[in-house]
Amino acid sequence: MKKKAKGGNMKEMSMLVVLVLIIALFTLTTGGKMLKPMNIGNLINQNAYVVILAIGMLLCILTGGNIDLSVGSTVALIGACAGTFIIVWHMNVYLAIFLCLLIGILIGMWQGFWIAYVGIPPFITTLSGMLVFRGATLLILNGLTLNPFPDEFERLSTGFIPDIPVEVLGMKINLICFFVGILLAIGFCVLQIITRSNRKAKGYELESLGSMAAKMIVTSVVIIGIFYLLSRNRGIPTVLILLGVLLVVYNFFTQKTVRGRHLYAIGGNMKAAELSGVKTKQMMFFAYTNMSFIAAIAGLVFAARLNAASPEAGKSFEMDAIASCFIGGASAYGGTGTIIGALIGALIMGVLNNGMSLMGMSQNLQQVVKGLVLLLAVLMDVMSKKNISLRDFGFLAKIFPKKETEHI
């Protein structure tokens, strides 16, 4: 009997198709502005912090649908610390970055202790953190904005990798950037083939060859397309390298390590996980310590992009991170979700923000649209978990009547 492989691949594929359709829609409605090379670079720089926060938030959600409401305030506090260290105290940039990351870890340990070892619910603990860290930010900055940062720090978020510009068919292309995109697409396809081979050897149920081929083609086209457009602008943004490293490390951790599987086990059934020998308290402590460490990275990236430490930074960032995870396929009950899914969800959020702005939509209307998209994503998850359809929603039964089957 064949063992069932870990799910989520089809959901990721469907969300990737949705992302492509959204991009196509905004490209048509904005007269092609969405896919202009400069806009793609801006899209990555503007939404890097969302992807970073979504990576950490996913690990919290895996533990049982738990979330961290304090990440926006942590982003602001880390930015305030960086501004104080670098601009006011004239500290070495790299020493300041190290201290900011250390502060992020200490914040996470503080919250993880109350959640894991004292038993205060994550919602309450992180809600408290949201207020405490926002207040600490205002105290440190005294309500003022610190700027500018030195170029060395600013390049963390707004710099580009040196490249080799060439002219092809009258178009200027950064050669290294374009070839990196091709190599990544080839690497993805090779990885899919190796993964399929390993699953077959272990006796797992395999997806069809057609499904795998479709996934490889769609993903490769998206990767090469993005890097082609980047090559038409200024090449590879430095923040994209940071995102790539975080995505590879955390995807490996969640999919290939024992502790990563323990996070899924806790979300699936905490009591059963405990009886199986999983150290649930340690894993909860790790999840929230890691979340604040990730928020510290996002805080540094955002401060560098803004070129300022602002007391208003980070507001509603936790909502973007949470929405990215759920839109990307994470379950509201925990135990389900992937780093790649969180990335796709963050990209969908970023494309929605960017596309609606290009169309001239007001911020108020944008909030309505994003809220409805989040509700729809969670609704689909709930319907999938409880095995219900639209026909089960009372008044919708008249619109989607059940087909009567004939009995012989």
Side-chain angles (χ1 to χ4, degrees):
M1 184 176 179
K2 290 192 174 183
K3 294 174 281 187
K4 200 170 183 178
K6 192 180 292 183
N9 288 332
M10 290 308 298
K11 188 177 287 187
E12 288 172 15
M13 185 61 189
S14 62
M15 294 312 299
L16 184 61
V17 172
V18 169
L19 174 61
V20 171
L21 292 175
I22 292 173
I23 292 173
L25 175 64
F26 281 126
T27 300
L28 292 174
T29 54
T30 60
K33 292 180 182 178
M34 169 62 72
L35 289 181
K36 284 189 174 180
M38 184 177 291
N39 188 57
I40 296 299
N42 291 338
L43 191 62
I44 292 172
N45 287 328
Q46 289 170 4
N47 294 281
Y49 74 88
V50 180
V51 178
I52 295 171
L53 290 175
I55 291 171
M57 190 66 72
L58 177 69
L59 269 60
C60 295
I61 291 173
L62 287 177
T63 61
N66 300 308
I67 57 175
D68 188 338
L69 295 175
S70 68
V71 295
S73 297
T74 303
V75 165
L77 178 58
I78 295 301
C81 291
T84 301
F85 293 155
I86 298 172
I87 298 173
V88 179
W89 294 355
H90 305 288
M91 190 180 289
N92 176 271
V93 168
Y94 298 102
L95 176 59
I97 290 173
F98 172 76
L99 290 176
C100 286
L101 294 177
L102 182 60
I103 291 170
I105 292 172
L106 292 174
I107 289 172
M109 292 173 68
W110 165 263
Q111 298 198 122
F113 170 76
W114 296 112
I115 293 168
Y117 296 107
V118 179
I120 299 177
F123 183 88
I124 300 300
T125 303
T126 58
L127 178 61
S128 168
M130 180 175 70
L131 300 174
V132 170
F133 306 143
R134 180 64 62 180
T137 302
L138 295 172
L139 289 172
I140 291 172
L141 295 177
N142 198 25
L144 303 175
T145 298
L146 294 177
N147 68 316
F149 283 104
D151 292 342
E152 192 176 10
F153 180 79
E154 192 180 359
R155 280 196 295 269
L156 289 173
S157 185
T158 59
F160 291 84
I161 303 300
D163 212 317
I164 305 172
V166 296
E167 193 166 314
V168 179
L169 301 176
M171 296 184 299
K172 179 184 172 185
I173 292 178
N174 288 291
L175 202 59
I176 295 176
C177 177
F178 183 66
F179 278 110
V180 165
I182 294 175
L183 290 175
L184 286 175
I186 294 172
F188 173 80
C189 293
V190 171
L191 185 61
Q192 290 298 305
I193 294 170
I194 293 173
T195 300
R196 180 184 175 84
S197 177
N198 290 338
R199 286 181 174 175
K200 184 177 181 179
K202 292 177 181 178
Y204 286 117
E205 184 180 348
L206 301 175
E207 62 182 333
S208 67
L209 286 173
S211 175
M212 188 180 80
K215 179 166 64 176
M216 289 166 61
I217 292 170
V218 171
T219 305
S220 298
V221 168
V222 170
I223 292 173
I224 294 173
I226 289 173
F227 275 85
Y228 167 72
L229 291 170
L230 288 174
S231 72
R232 293 282 310 280
N233 184 30
R234 296 175 62 185
I236 303 173
T238 52
V239 74
L240 189 58
I241 302 297
L242 173 62
L243 291 179
V245 171
L246 290 174
L247 288 167
V248 169
V249 169
Y250 280 90
N251 188 62
F252 178 82
F253 171 77
T254 54
Q255 302 295 318
K256 302 296 183 181
T257 68
V258 173
R259 288 189 175 273
R261 295 189 186 98
H262 284 176
L263 288 172
Y264 286 95
I266 292 171
N269 189 321
M270 182 174 284
K271 290 296 181 183
E274 283 182 347
L275 294 173
S276 300
V278 176
K279 297 178 180 178
T280 55
K281 290 183 178 180
Q282 287 186 13
M283 293 309 300
M284 289 292 290
F285 181 81
F286 165 75
Y288 280 89
T289 301
N290 176 76
M291 179 70 259
S292 293
F293 169 70
I294 288 291
I297 297 175
L300 292 169
V301 168
F302 187 75
R305 188 181 76 82
L306 201 63
N307 195 22
S310 170
E312 298 298 313
K315 288 192 173 179
S316 298
F317 281 14
E318 59 277 353
M319 296 298 107
D320 287 336
I322 294 167
S324 297
C325 293
F326 287 141
I327 291 171
S331 172
Y333 303 99
T336 303
T338 63
I339 295 296
I340 301 303
L343 167 65
I344 295 172
L347 290 176
I348 288 175
M349 290 292 291
V351 169
L352 283 173
N353 286 330
N354 186 262
M356 289 187 292
S357 296
L358 290 174
M359 290 177 65
M361 285 188 183
S362 68
Q363 285 292 327
N364 299 331
L365 185 56
Q366 289 185 35
Q367 295 293 330
V368 172
V369 172
K370 289 193 292 183
L372 291 174
V373 169
L374 173 59
L375 180 63
L376 179 62
V378 176
L379 173 64
M380 297 304 292
D381 173 58
V382 171
M383 291 173 64
S384 174
K385 282 279 184 181
K386 296 186 177 181
N387 196 25
I388 59 178
S389 65
L390 291 173
R391 286 186 287 267
D392 297 306
F393 286 96
F395 69 94
L396 291 176
K398 297 179 180 179
I399 304 176
F400 302 96
K402 290 184 179 179
K403 293 181 179 178
E404 294 184 3
T405 55
E406 293 183 4
H407 299 280
I408 299 176

